[in-house]
Amino acid sequence: MNDKINRRNFLKITGLITAGTAISSIPFISMSASDILKQTSNKSVNTTWWGMLIDVRDCEAECYDCIDACRTENNVYGSFSKEKNLDFKKDLTKSLEKYKHDIDWIRKVTLKRKYSKDKTQFSKEVYAPVLCNHCETPSCALVCPVEATYQRKDGIVIVDKHRCIGCRYCLIACPYDARFFNMMGKEEWTNKSYPKRIHGVAESCHFCYHRLDEGKLPKCVEVCKKKVFTFGNLNDSKSSISIKINELSENKIMVKGIREDLGTGPKVYYVGI
Amino acid sequence: MRVNYTAIEGKSKGFFILLFVLVVLAIIGLIYTYLMYDEGLGHYTGMSSRVPWAFSIVMAVYYIGLSAGSLVLSALSAVFGKKEYKPFSRMAAYLAVLLIIGALLSIMLDWGRPDRFINPFIYFNPASMFSINAFFYSSYILIGVIYLIAMFTNNEKLVKIMAYIAVIWAIGVHSGTGAIFGFVPRELFQSALLPPSFIAAAVSSGTAMMILVLLITFKATKRELDNRLIKGLSRLLMVFIFVVLYFIIVENTYRAYVPESRHAAIYFLFGGFHSIVFWLGLIFIGSIIPAIILLIPKFRDSITAISIASIFVVLGVLCERYIIVIPGQTAKADLFPNMEVTSNTVVDHVASYSISFPEVLQALGIAAILAFAFVLGLRILNMLPSKAKLHDDPTEEKL
């Protein structure tokens, strides 16, 4: 066997390596500091910065209006909550299998205080609608390999469904379990003013951006009879949400996001939990 | 050391039956993959929106581990000066490239939209661990291929350079894969220890797999294999088993000790099927039994005992991959720390996962593709040494 280093071969291969390294490092060259900073908040005073305030003290037990309205508005398949809840009461294990792939962009959680100084509050249940928090530093957008999930200039975190590859890393990264994946490929199209959903991509609440762009409020906010939701521009001191937050803080009532300790900066605030 | 590599003959009946079986398995796997893509993952897999990463991700992570492990073994002679392992370096490097391709296949066929496979290259998000890994994996394949070419053309200098680069890259590939899980804000994922423990498990499983592959290929092709080489590898394997065990102990002790993550640790250690996989699969079968076999002088010199230990380690690391990927998702996120969640419209109930049959078939299909490519490689390329013998007293000429 030829033991000498074949000069021509060596040059050929070294050339290959150089070319290969160059090609594979193109993404890193093209990446600039601004690309990385883009992931962090671009909150500035002049822009709209949508936020939501949920007053769970007003939310009622057997009401599922927001959940069902969200389904219809965004063409999300799934069973409507009334019958579903009846089924769950009847047979839990069977219903678990039946509704395994239901998608709830907004869901309702029943909570009970674990400990409280106030004895009257001890056994009181509260009902909290939980949805995408549209975080200031969204970890779903941070991990998306194709930048399909991104934060709009107004702070809404949305998915570009034509770019998403369906790797589901964002579902893993979201600490709030607020993101979903269309596992079943059923595509209903009840509301023609919002595009039909696409199979095999990630999705989540998008604050009904299609309605916001038309100057309307998100559907869940609109349908709530109890006015649990307050929606508005956090940067505008005259918006309804800013006024309400100011009022509450004057009365020393705590307004907080879910698990703010995670550093995600949720923009859906809660009163009463 | 002069090594004679020859291709296998591949004319026997058994050879063609093997290829046929592999092709059938691969086709079945691909059919199921297509069905999953066409009808939706939910119809065929145990996944749900709460457990979106399932068996194929477990397999992908496992393949990446095996790949880095076999690459390190391939570089034993060039980088770590263990000249006696040179006969295996071609085969190990070829396996390393194949396995990383297998990992990429497992990941991409698991996507909701594998038809958009080009997107990660067009839209590159430098902040995403996935993108960084896409870069690492693809360049790793390239480096592996150049390394192989260098070996096949007997370009010793280039082999040495590429071996060094490949080892460094393997560390990057592994740390990156660990970071996919470790850098995510979920209690059972978030950990800076995941990248290094990934490397440890990778090298351990890679060594065990190489022992098995060597024993099987040399036996099937009736070539001479010096038992001392296998014993040497088994000594390495024993060290790796303890390193993996050390990482597991540190991580779980930390989780159970710190009040913040104690409930997550309890869920992890005693919370269902994954706990059985952990205790029985990883700790007992994957670590303790092989460690005992390789420690006791009576067993550790027997090739049968070594191969049993290797089988156990290979299985044990698969279990390790399972308990990294799955419980991190099924563990409920504690969204309301001082509240008790009494009921929830659906979502929190379904955080359970069990492997479905189509998922296993898909994984088998991908494994069959890899095995097919490996056997074909042995047939076409001069990869397998005609004999692997340890020289008793190597002289200058022989080296």
Side-chain angles (χ1 to χ4, degrees):
Chain A
M1 238 173 274
N2 181 12
D3 207 12
K4 265 191 284 175
I5 298 162
N6 187 333
R7 195 180 144 85
R8 217 177 129 199
N9 252 345
F10 180 75
L11 285 177
K12 220 162 45 183
I13 291 161
T14 331
L16 250 176
I17 303 170
T18 329
T21 327
I23 290 165
S24 45
S25 57
I26 283 172
F28 278 122
I29 296 164
S30 67
M31 132 194 161
S32 61
S34 68
D35 272 337
I36 298 164
L37 285 176
K38 191 164 61 185
Q39 297 295 342
T40 61
S41 151
N42 55 0
K43 188 180 181 180
S44 79
V45 194
N46 299 322
T47 54
T48 319
W49 198 244
W50 296 118
M52 188 185 266
L53 181 72
I54 298 176
D55 195 339
V56 301
R57 297 173 300 179
D58 294 339
C59 190
E60 283 182 340
E62 291 295 318
C63 169
Y64 302 100
D65 286 355
C66 51
I67 301 172
D68 292 343
C70 177
R71 261 191 217 304
T72 341
E73 176 65 30
N74 295 302
N75 304 318
V76 180
Y77 70 79
S79 327
F80 287 93
S81 312
K82 272 237 169 75
E83 44 171 300
K84 188 153 82 180
N85 272 33
L86 283 176
D87 273 6
F88 263 93
K89 271 172 198 157
K90 259 187 251 160
D91 189 347
L92 185 73
T93 38
K94 218 172 162 186
S95 315
L96 283 181
E97 199 45 45
K98 188 176 170 192
Y99 298 113
K100 188 175 180 184
H101 293 293
D102 263 20
I103 288 178
D104 298 270
W105 288 5
I106 179 166
R107 62 187 195 266
K108 210 161 117 180
V109 182
T110 311
L111 299 166
K112 214 168 160 183
R113 213 168 287 278
K114 270 187 197 158
Y115 20 71
S116 164
K117 280 174 192 165
D118 186 358
K119 285 267 153 56
T120 53
Q121 267 195 338
F122 195 76
S123 58
K124 203 180 149 197
E125 279 188 338
V126 287
Y127 310 97
V130 177
L131 61 157
C132 170
N133 282 289
H134 297 274
C135 306
E136 279 177 27
T137 40
S139 53
C140 51
L142 184 76
V143 302
C144 181
V146 294
E147 294 185 330
T149 299
Y150 63 100
Q151 191 176 41
R152 298 211 313 182
K153 281 201 177 97
D154 54 8
I156 299 178
V157 179
I158 59 173
V159 186
D160 182 344
K161 286 175 184 168
H162 298 278
R163 189 189 276 196
C164 175
I165 53 173
C167 73
R168 311 191 285 286
Y169 196 8
C170 52
L171 277 79
I172 299 281
C174 175
Y176 301 108
D177 284 349
R179 292 179 77 81
F180 297 89
F181 186 80
N182 189 348
M183 291 272 174
M184 302 306 276
K186 283 182 206 158
E187 288 150 53
E188 287 168 17
W189 200 10
T190 44
N191 175 21
K192 297 276 193 276
S193 64
Y194 181 71
K196 198 173 170 181
R197 282 157 77 244
I198 291 174
H199 80 96
V201 297
E203 54 188 31
S204 70
C205 158
H206 45 55
F207 271 171
C208 287
Y209 72 91
H210 56 292
R211 291 172 61 88
L212 284 177
D213 292 350
E214 288 170 13
K216 293 189 215 156
L217 284 172
K219 195 74 182 179
C220 53
V221 181
E222 196 185 77
V223 298
C224 185
K225 281 176 246 142
K226 282 286 186 175
K227 300 269 175 282
V228 171
F229 303 92
T230 313
F231 188 85
N233 180 2
L234 291 168
N235 278 348
D236 179 3
S237 59
K238 290 186 192 80
S239 68
S240 53
I241 186 168
S242 304
I243 292 170
K244 186 145 191 203
I245 289 177
N246 280 334
E247 253 176 44
L248 289 164
S249 52
E250 271 166 26
N251 295 330
K252 302 219 165 59
I253 294 173
M254 191 156 66
V255 176
K256 61 168 186 181
I258 303 177
R259 288 298 300 270
E260 283 177 327
D261 58 311
L262 293 170
T264 44
K267 290 205 303 293
V268 175
Y269 299 98
Y270 286 82
V271 185
I273 52 172
Chain B
M1 187 160 61
R2 171 75 72 232
V3 185
N4 242 334
Y5 297 96
T6 46
I8 58 171
E9 280 197 338
K11 280 175 189 154
S12 68
K13 212 172 166 188
F15 180 76
F16 287 106
I17 290 173
L18 176 69
L19 286 188
F20 179 73
V21 170
L22 291 176
V23 168
V24 170
L25 279 175
I27 289 172
I28 293 173
L30 289 177
I31 288 173
Y32 269 104
T33 305
Y34 177 74
L35 288 175
M36 283 176 198
Y37 162 72
D38 191 48
E39 293 179 32
L41 290 164
H43 292 287
Y44 292 97
T45 67
M47 295 174 207
S48 64
S49 281
R50 295 286 63 86
V51 188
W53 278 2
F55 194 56
S56 51
I57 298 291
V58 175
M59 288 310 286
V61 174
Y62 185 54
Y63 286 143
I64 294 167
L66 291 175
S67 166
S70 45
L71 193 108
V72 169
L73 285 184
S74 145
L76 270 180
S77 67
V79 174
F80 302 98
K82 300 253 175 216
K83 290 268 181 282
E84 64 269 27
Y85 291 108
K86 203 187 157 200
F88 309 144
S89 54
R90 284 186 182 183
M91 199 163 74
Y94 182 65
L95 257 183
V97 172
L98 273 188
L99 285 164
I100 200 85
I101 292 172
L104 279 177
L105 262 182
S106 298
I107 294 173
M108 289 169 104
L109 295 181
D110 182 54
W111 287 353
R113 303 301 299 245
D115 49 326
R116 296 179 183 165
F117 68 94
I118 204 77
N119 281 13
F121 301 100
I122 304 174
Y123 314 106
F124 189 86
N125 177 6
S128 168
M129 271 305 147
F130 230 85
S131 287
I132 293 171
N133 277 297
F135 162 73
F136 266 126
Y137 298 164
S138 44
S139 46
Y140 182 71
I141 294 175
L142 195 77
I143 289 168
V145 168
I146 296 168
Y147 179 43
L148 271 176
I149 292 172
M151 276 193 282
F152 280 113
T153 52
N154 280 317
N155 188 339
E156 294 297 331
K157 203 171 175 184
L158 187 62
V159 166
K160 202 148 182 132
I161 296 168
M162 289 318 293
Y164 272 97
I165 296 176
V167 167
I168 292 167
W169 228 253
I171 293 170
V173 163
H174 254 73
S175 307
T177 313
I180 288 180
F181 298 96
F183 294 4
V184 151
R186 274 178 189 257
E187 254 157 351
L188 287 177
F189 281 153
Q190 194 169 20
S191 160
L193 213 56
L194 261 186
S197 71
F198 246 81
I199 297 176
V203 179
S204 161
S205 62
T207 313
M209 182 200 65
M210 271 318 286
I211 291 177
L212 292 175
V213 168
L214 288 174
L215 287 173
I216 293 168
T217 46
F218 276 76
K219 182 128 200 182
T221 55
K222 298 189 183 71
R223 297 183 189 210
E224 203 179 332
L225 176 65
D226 196 326
N227 284 350
R228 275 175 294 177
L229 290 173
I230 295 294
K231 278 174 204 162
L233 284 178
S234 77
R235 295 286 186 280
L236 280 176
L237 179 61
M238 189 187 68
V239 176
F240 297 144
I241 291 171
F242 282 110
V243 176
V244 173
L245 210 52
Y246 170 74
F247 275 114
I248 292 165
I249 292 169
V250 171
E251 177 126 59
N252 287 296
T253 317
Y254 169 80
R255 271 200 212 121
Y257 189 85
V258 178
E260 191 190 352
S261 55
R262 194 168 295 158
H263 67 276
I266 290 168
Y267 173 75
F268 180 76
L269 296 173
F270 314 101
F273 179 69
H274 60 264
S275 310
I276 300 172
V277 174
F278 175 78
W279 290 108
L280 192 70
L282 174 59
I283 300 294
F284 191 66
I285 294 177
S287 306
I288 294 176
I289 292 184
I292 289 173
I293 290 176
L294 297 176
L295 271 176
I296 293 176
K298 201 177 147 194
F299 296 134
R300 70 177 176 201
D301 289 330
S302 133
I303 291 297
T304 325
I306 289 174
S307 44
I308 289 171
S310 304
I311 292 171
F312 281 178
V313 171
V314 166
L315 287 176
V317 173
L318 182 59
C319 292
E320 199 248 356
R321 296 329 193 190
Y322 180 88
I323 56 152
I324 283 178
V325 177
I326 305 297
Q329 301 170 64
T330 52
K332 272 185 206 166
D334 192 10
L335 295 184
F336 305 95
N338 43 25
M339 310 285 268
E340 187 190 339
V341 179
T342 56
S343 92
N344 189 338
T345 48
V346 176
V347 167
D348 283 0
H349 292 302
V350 292
S352 68
Y353 167 75
S354 51
I355 302 169
S356 74
F357 192 54
E359 279 177 270
V360 175
L361 288 179
Q362 188 192 29
L364 267 180
I366 291 167
I369 292 173
L370 296 186
F372 183 84
F374 179 66
V375 175
L376 211 65
L378 288 180
R379 172 76 180 80
I380 294 167
L381 302 166
N382 291 331
M383 202 150 49
L384 206 60
S386 38
K387 62 177 177 185
K389 225 166 155 44
L390 200 63
H391 295 272
D392 290 322
D393 33 19
T395 56
E396 271 306 306
E397 294 154 3
K398 276 179 181 170
L399 286 169

